[in-house]
Amino acid sequence: MNNIIETNFGKKVDISRMANGSASNITKQGTFFVFSIRLDADDIREYSFTDRTRAEQMRNILISHLETR
């Protein structure tokens, strides 16, 4: 239960679900595997890789960074 926090609005939120919801699914666009991460309402970053396994690994790493943030 350590992953559940209470927000300013009084709602209880699971940190891992919130971080996972900020990342899009990996899609193939041409020769690249692309996903995006939403850091803020105005800050959306897109990442592209030529290998799907590298894209999955980096997506998991960035989600874990969002959880700690």
Side-chain angles (χ1 to χ4, degrees), residues 60-69:
N60 290 335
I61 290 170
L62 290 173
I63 287 173
S64 68
H65 287 302
L66 283 177
E67 288 178 14
T68 57
R69 183 177 166 213

Side-chain angles (χ1 to χ4, degrees), residues 8-39:
N8 294 337
F9 306 115
K11 302 279 183 181
K12 295 192 177 187
V13 180
D14 186 7
I15 297 172
S16 61
R17 282 187 172 186
M18 192 169 72
N20 200 11
S22 296
S24 70
N25 292 330
I26 298 172
T27 59
K28 183 165 179 156
Q29 295 180 357
T31 58
F32 296 103
F33 294 94
V34 179
F35 69 93
S36 61
I37 299 280
R38 184 176 2 115
L39 300 176

